[in-house]
Amino acid sequence: MNPQPVAMITGAAGGIGGETAVRFAEQGYDCVLLALPSEDLSPVTSRIQDTGRQFLICTGDLSDLEYARSAVEQCMSAWGRIDVLVNNAAWREITTMRNIELTSWEKTLRVCLTAPAFLARWCAAQMEPRGQGVIINVSSIQSQMAAGISPAYVAAKGALDSLTYELATLYGPSGIRVLSVNPGAIDTAMGQDIAVDQQETATKIRQASEDMIPLRRWAHPREIARSIVMLAGNDASYLTGTSVTIDGGWKQQCSPYSVKH
Ligand code: NAD
């Protein structure tokens, strides 16, 4: 068995997933990086190499559960252990319930809910005999806040939170903790994709959101990564079956007066 702990991260080529993989490596974990075949992982892998830790790359599309299963198998045959699973990958189409195609709806649920559920099941099966493990589902504050522009995505994230509580109940007696993290506005490809074709409009939307966030800025993905790795560690040993909102205070404030402070 690998002497180092092993973290498996989906959507690891960049954004929150890339920063999470690098942070795990900095903390002494070897990393299994799941990414789409089209993605360039070298910016992440070169930073992992700098830490002296190892990585394993498994590319594929998480709509395909056989790919997800094979990633778990590859990890087990290479290293014989999985200590942490971070279900981070997500796919979102900006659209409305009036217009969404069934294919888009089904793809979103497969990537954002079904793949995380089955990855959790297959990883937990490897964690249970060792009596320890952590599963972190990257959800969103949109699981509880609506914008009317991504119906399948928000439905999947809401269900992912519910799944977190279900899995924490099932696997807690086996020593496995299960958590959701719910980021707010994060400066990544997905955060910036607000489907407006004019830069001026995008800038206005961003400014409006920053005015509503008590910390008055979007987060760097590194800030979410650090929280994820902290939650996976022993300092969070009694934390399970809950959602941790990481949003600069956005969700809790709803007063129009707050923009004046
Ligand atoms: P991102 O676009 O950088 O990352 C999303 C990742 O998902 C990409 O690496 C992409 O390759 C992967 N992915 C998409 N479809 C896939 C598929 N079919 N198979 C395999 N991988 C696939 O954006 P991000 O902001 O880093 O997103 C990471 C997580 O954070 C997501 O779960 C997202 O819902 C969540 N989140 C982001 C924000 C934000 O503002 N950026 C806010 C709340 C929640």
Side-chain angles (χ1 to χ4, degrees):
M1 187 188 294
N2 201 49
Q4 299 300 129
V6 172
M8 174 179 283
I9 304 112
T10 69
I16 294 169
E19 292 292 338
T20 300
V22 171
R23 186 65 181 162
F24 271 117
E26 288 170 351
Q27 298 296 307
Y29 289 72
D30 290 332
C31 296
V32 188
L33 311 173
L34 275 69
L36 286 167
S38 56
E39 289 180 303
D40 175 16
L41 277 149
S42 60
V44 172
T45 54
S46 67
R47 290 172 65 199
I48 293 176
Q49 268 163 343
D50 289 345
T51 70
R53 298 275 30 101
Q54 304 180 82
F55 58 85
L56 185 70
I57 294 174
C58 304
T59 58
D61 188 321
L62 284 170
S63 312
D64 173 9
L65 284 186
E66 279 313 307
Y67 154 65
R69 187 201 291 270
S70 78
V72 177
E73 287 168 359
Q74 283 178 60
C75 174
M76 288 309 293
S77 45
W79 287 334
R81 65 191 287 177
I82 301 175
D83 296 82
V84 181
L85 166 67
V86 182
N87 276 315
N88 166 75
W91 188 78
R92 175 183 72 171
E93 185 190 5
I94 303 288
T95 183
T96 71
M97 198 62 219
R98 289 194 185 97
N99 301 316
I100 191 167
E101 301 281 350
L102 180 59
T103 49
S104 172
W105 176 275
E106 288 182 340
K107 178 178 172 179
T108 311
L109 264 67
R110 277 187 89 82
V111 175
C112 299
L113 180 62
T114 309
F118 280 82
L119 273 171
R121 167 172 156 173
W122 295 323
C123 288
Q126 304 303 332
M127 294 167 175
E128 279 193 293
R130 296 178 54 230
Q132 62 183 63
V134 181
I135 296 168
I136 296 186
N137 295 318
V138 182
S139 179
S140 169
I141 56 165
Q142 283 195 277
S143 68
Q144 293 159 53
M145 288 168 74
I149 56 165
S150 45
Y153 176 81
V154 299
K157 294 298 192 185
L160 190 60
D161 286 345
S162 301
L163 180 73
T164 294
Y165 316 142
E166 173 78 4
L167 297 182
T169 304
L170 176 67
Y171 293 123
S174 303
I176 299 169
R177 296 189 293 114
V178 189
L179 292 159
S180 293
V181 296
N182 300 64
I186 320 302
D187 223 339
T188 65
M190 183 178 286
Q192 288 158 10
D193 175 20
I194 40 185
V196 287
D197 45 17
Q198 288 179 342
Q199 185 54 42
E200 195 187 341
T201 314
T203 305
K204 275 187 189 156
I205 292 173
R206 179 166 179 149
Q207 184 62 54
S209 65
E210 287 175 343
D211 285 346
M212 288 189 288
I213 298 167
L215 290 184
R216 295 290 186 267
R217 63 178 177 86
W218 288 17
H220 188 283
R222 184 190 315 118
E223 297 179 277
I224 309 306
R226 287 180 177 225
S227 299
I228 289 171
V229 176
M230 180 188 70
L231 292 169
N234 281 338
D235 283 351
S237 55
Y238 201 61
L239 207 56
T240 193
T242 193
S243 305
V244 179
T245 300
I246 313 170
D247 68 348
W250 192 2
K251 197 184 78 176
Q252 297 308 335
Q253 76 79 29
C254 60
S255 164
Y257 293 107
S258 69
V259 297
K260 294 185 178 171
H261 294 317

